[in-house]
Amino acid sequence: MTSLPRVRIGMIGYGGMGKAHSYAYRALNTLRKLPVEPELHIISGRHQAGVEKAAAAYGFARSTADWRKIVESPDVDIVDICTPPGTHAEIAAAAAAHGKAVISEKPLATSYEEGRMALEAVRKAGVLNAVGFNYRKLPAVSLMKRMIDDGKVGKIQHWRAIWMSDEFIDPNIPFDWRFERKMGGTTIADLGAHLIDMAQWMVGDIAEVSAQSETFVRERTDPAKPGGTRKVEIDDASSALVRFSNGARGIMEMTRSCVRRPCDFTVEVNGTLGTLHFDYARLNELLYGDGSDAVELYGMRRIRAEHISHPYAANWWAIGQGVGYGSSFVNHFGDLLEKWPQGPWDPDFAQGLKVQAVCDAMEQSAAGRQWVSVASIGN
Amino acid sequence: MTSLPRVRIGMIGYGGMGKAHSYAYRALNTLRKLPVEPELHIISGRHQAGVEKAAAAYGFARSTADWRKIVESPDVDIVDICTPPGTHAEIAAAAAAHGKAVISEKPLATSYEEGRMALEAVRKAGVLNAVGFNYRKLPAVSLMKRMIDDGKVGKIQHWRAIWMSDEFIDPNIPFDWRFERKMGGTTIADLGAHLIDMAQWMVGDIAEVSAQSETFVRERTDPAKPGGTRKVEIDDASSALVRFSNGARGIMEMTRSCVRRPCDFTVEVNGTLGTLHFDYARLNELLYGDGSDAVELYGMRRIRAEHISHPYAANWWAIGQGVGYGSSFVNHFGDLLEKWPQGPWDPDFAQGLKVQAVCDAMEQSAAGRQWVSVASIGN
Amino acid sequence: MTSLPRVRIGMIGYGGMGKAHSYAYRALNTLRKLPVEPELHIISGRHQAGVEKAAAAYGFARSTADWRKIVESPDVDIVDICTPPGTHAEIAAAAAAHGKAVISEKPLATSYEEGRMALEAVRKAGVLNAVGFNYRKLPAVSLMKRMIDDGKVGKIQHWRAIWMSDEFIDPNIPFDWRFERKMGGTTIADLGAHLIDMAQWMVGDIAEVSAQSETFVRERTDPAKPGGTRKVEIDDASSALVRFSNGARGIMEMTRSCVRRPCDFTVEVNGTLGTLHFDYARLNELLYGDGSDAVELYGMRRIRAEHISHPYAANWWAIGQGVGYGSSFVNHFGDLLEKWPQGPWDPDFAQGLKVQAVCDAMEQSAAGRQWVSVASIGN
Amino acid sequence: MTSLPRVRIGMIGYGGMGKAHSYAYRALNTLRKLPVEPELHIISGRHQAGVEKAAAAYGFARSTADWRKIVESPDVDIVDICTPPGTHAEIAAAAAAHGKAVISEKPLATSYEEGRMALEAVRKAGVLNAVGFNYRKLPAVSLMKRMIDDGKVGKIQHWRAIWMSDEFIDPNIPFDWRFERKMGGTTIADLGAHLIDMAQWMVGDIAEVSAQSETFVRERTDPAKPGGTRKVEIDDASSALVRFSNGARGIMEMTRSCVRRPCDFTVEVNGTLGTLHFDYARLNELLYGDGSDAVELYGMRRIRAEHISHPYAANWWAIGQGVGYGSSFVNHFGDLLEKWPQGPWDPDFAQGLKVQAVCDAMEQSAAGRQWVSVASIGN
């Protein structure tokens, strides 16, 4: 521990996200000069034994099975929500009500209405708030955004984002909360929220969508009913056509039904002057096709997004060494704590809600088999 | 020339397709044992000087500026149509009426109605007929189809096909026939016809579509009117959601507005048991994710689609050497001439028309902003 | 056939090389404007039935089982030698003695002495002569050479060339002429000759080498002696350190013992200003690292070596379509026939002999376990 | 901080390695269940201000400008040496003499003699000792080793390892300790030590080598002498032929003179049954060519080395997310602390010395222009 002022973290949820966040808090100050240092103060989880084990593993001083203890604790500065989507908004609102800064994993909520409630809560309380769109914080993705802002691709005409995983491909996976609409949200929201966020961040607001959804495995064995099955309440896979307010066109796909696609997403923008392409499986690279290049060099550059001149690269290793998934959290929390306690934080709940509006529009479009205007959501 | 019986080719059109087809006819018999040998008998084109030059270059014995001379000639066995899309159907019908076998470049027509007329003509005449879906004949694409038929991916759930080119990205390209709806058809048809054909060939019939289209460069300088411009009549770029009759879901995109994307298309299918991925920029490879592989080998195989056991590979070079675009035509014409004169030929006009129905459905969907049933086309 | 003057080809040998050469002669004029057209006049092979079948397949008008008939024929203009290495020099010398232009597949010979005899024969006869270093003629390899000559990499410091195949990995392959030193030459010569040629063409003369060789499968079953085996007389695999006369340093490896490496070679040069990398498995691409690029773009370009501005690209297809192995022969013979009958031809026997000198130096070095000066070969 | 027993780290040196090691110590326990937790007790460096800043950044409680204070401190359990190579052995010996466990960055020393002294010191003191061959601890490299041990490639015939960086390509980089033979060692040792270690770990002992070295930039400006230059004492680039005791053959290259090659190394083994290929630029992947695969699948698998069944993968993220360079240190220190305080540690100084013997053999071979037996080093 350094001699910096402490910011006390109260973490709610201790699964995969809890582990990744804890890692980031611990590694953070070695990699980045910050005004404060996070202290892993307390962690909660529904299962007493599990949360105690996690507290020990992640380095939290205390644990509790009651998340309300955390939001109420005078010793907690930031509440970091790592629970299933269906609980994000409620916890966020409670934390805000107690004056805590809030970091919520994505999606902000499982519906626009829920998300709006959470946004109103943090606004009313005047607390700092952030949503875990961590992929923005990968060096290559961040570079992609910066190059777009710098005009490298000109006026954007195309956005293309596809996320393939195999999370649900096995029909023998029993029903759990991920298949429950109220708790897990949709595949649109789980995977798509990241893509929608990157789209709106890089290109601009999405105006309308036409979507389709499919549930390939419609029933799954119900652990609560031996021999019984339960109806899956969400989409295994969805895809959408997208029109942006500025006239750009896009396609998006998010599916958890692709064999040997562990967590592969690609994002491409094509503008009047250039093309940028990111492939998460090669996360330290960014492909760049520069239309003003000599035609003799026709092709794309594979930018090693690790040069010291690139976003976040100076905080990590010498070029060529590469970072991984974990870096996205380190960079994200670094950005947040750098602005502690004044803020602003970015991306915040307002942006999370804009993503939720598009998720809801896609869900409605798929159900109604028609184009849906994003502006119509919540009205 | 070998001592095989000759099949006399009458080629109509001498542009890029004419060159590729001529190359294939000349190289064909060296690479493949066939019952006949093509003879480059006569070629036509609108410009006398141009067609004479082409005849000399491509090795045709005769040339003419009047395509009707070819379809009427008693010395021509096969009429090979390499003209702009808007003329395909008329020429095909005329050739059929004179009892010629017909090979038409894709798309079969610029509308379902036109295509149906062409199909009826060849059916009435009882002549062999083929459409130039040459990409089917690439070794790796052909292998992809065979592996699907062999059950390697199980039941198909996803189809994903994207074609990006930069053909229209430059706003200074003047208006020409490609931008004229009646002559050039649409980008949906020009690029998408290949994708739609592969989709229906590999997955099954497409039942309905939701599409969007955009023309980014809406006016282009008019070479016919100095200082004037002309309205572009077609889409620069389109994309579509697709539902197959068997329940599989798909997305497609076809655009000629992507900087530094020369002619890049990718096709992926995901089924219950496996994934196959083809990238035209690496056309000798096929990626295969086998869900039954040991998890320790989780990942995809990069199959070198050149092993002698693969379709067409035995006709070409030793594995590792690679073939190019030209091989697709050689393989295609080899398949056709192997069946001369009995047939059947595959893919034929009936398949070409089924593709056209989807093209029309996509065009209608984009115009009407609603899902369109493919079955409704032509009714 | 066009109306161009004919150049009559007499081909000796009808195996894989015979097929590839025949393909190229047939396709050539469609792809390239030339002053002459090759005529497949006569082909020879040791087996009467085999050569007759090949003649029919490849389109030769005549065949013979006696190669001397070809070199002596007054109706042959060019003798094209596609036989095993151990016969190249003798045939070439005989053809030259009869005033024929000669194209010899690589390597020129199986020893420097033999090669020198062949060179002296063509010089004495004053006939055009060429060696089949066809990989030079791939668009991307040719572009690599041009970019080096244009100074894009500055002063070359490193050369790195590795050729991996699995041709000999199976110990059950019986003994044949490839394993016989006198007939098949060495792996150094069979695979390495291409790499050495590219090295000397791109970088400059090789001054000295230190090499190692290994024969992993030392005995193979002898088809001539049922139940018996025969000692393999050549290297399965060799590698070498190289010093160029201009001070550049290099490494080379050539092996036929690599599982699932069908015919994979890579070539890289690093100079004071840039890096160029070619991977034969992706033969339409050339990677280029430009040291003068903005550091924000640090990385390499993947040049699509198909732009119309590139060597040979204008003769083939639109960018993005790709060519294969066969294009190397078409381009090579196009270059030769373009200069018919004046010449000069390039690469010629003199260059073939310089490659042979390095092959011999590597073989001596491996045997003697010491550095060997290339200048010492033949003296 | 957890409630685990503490192991107190005394770190010597605070440059790039100091940062990476500190990161690893801090992140370690979140990712891995261990019997102890490292405490960043004290750090030293020659510059007082610099080391104080580093102590604050890395989270060390104390700092000193005198490394001897650390080796002598009763409050330090492990001395972790992150200084230039020329000081490793001396510090290690001093630490051992005070009974400390020692972790030394690679190379162990700048000569075999120095390294032997260090080894003798730790042996005499009976302290745990480790060398920082961290790349062994990357999941894909570790998997490569395990697959070799499991017989997946059969008997190894080829080893091929190439390391390219651009660290020294700029001739305007002034002279510093890296160019001084006594302090920085050689490029053979700096980059090659990793490759040699992996070679001996995966394949077996190296018996003899033939090497070449070159210094392209022979003089550099001397910061100590305004206007003056100083002779570079080491190789910019070296390469070597290698013979292993078990008969396998190898090539190695290590160079700091390659434009736009930031830190690219590749390692490939080819055995009688299979091929494995690792490319550090895509560090989460391992290519595997399985000779027993059906020929229809001829090609290589791209194993995503993140499946939970793979070494270290279970400690990190879900498959598809990827780790970076930092993971190698986390995994390494995890392996060491897991065995605290009994040991044994692996790789240890004995292995570090075996690497040093090969480094010295390469250096002698390059100087003497002859094959050098590794067994002759130190005798």
Side-chain angles (χ1 to χ4, degrees), chain C residues 33-175:
Chain C
K33 195 175 159 62
L34 293 172
V36 292
E37 177 159 10
E39 179 186 313
L40 299 182
H41 186 73
I42 185 165
I43 187 169
S44 76
R46 278 171 299 172
H47 306 291
Q48 184 70 36
V51 73
E52 280 173 17
K53 209 169 131 188
Y58 302 165
F60 281 86
R62 295 160 197 79
S63 67
T64 172
D66 179 5
W67 65 264
R68 295 191 181 275
K69 291 242 171 74
I70 293 181
V71 301
E72 292 164 3
S73 165
D75 297 330
V76 166
D77 299 307
I78 297 175
V79 170
D80 182 355
I81 307 171
C82 296
T83 52
T87 64
H88 290 176
E90 179 191 6
I91 298 172
H98 286 84
K100 310 300 182 197
V102 191
I103 300 171
S104 171
E105 257 306 321
K106 45 54 57 181
L108 176 59
T110 56
S111 72
Y112 184 84
E113 278 316 309
E114 242 180 53
R116 180 154 64 181
M117 183 272 289
L119 174 59
E120 282 166 3
V122 297
R123 282 198 170 151
K124 189 173 156 198
V127 296
L128 288 179
N129 53 92
V131 180
F133 292 127
N134 60 300
Y135 293 101
R136 283 196 191 192
K137 307 295 182 173
L138 289 171
V141 174
S142 182
L143 176 61
M144 191 173 179
K145 160 72 170 166
R146 197 170 76 179
M147 290 179 75
I148 291 170
D149 289 351
D150 288 351
K152 299 294 189 196
V153 302
K155 180 173 159 49
I156 294 179
Q157 296 184 329
H158 286 294
W159 166 266
R160 195 174 298 107
I162 294 171
W163 195 312
M164 294 175 283
S165 93
D166 61 359
E167 192 180 350
F168 293 169
I169 187 70
D170 181 355
N172 297 317
I173 298 172
F175 194 95

Side-chain angles (χ1 to χ4, degrees), chain A residues 274 305 371:
Chain A
W371 283 87

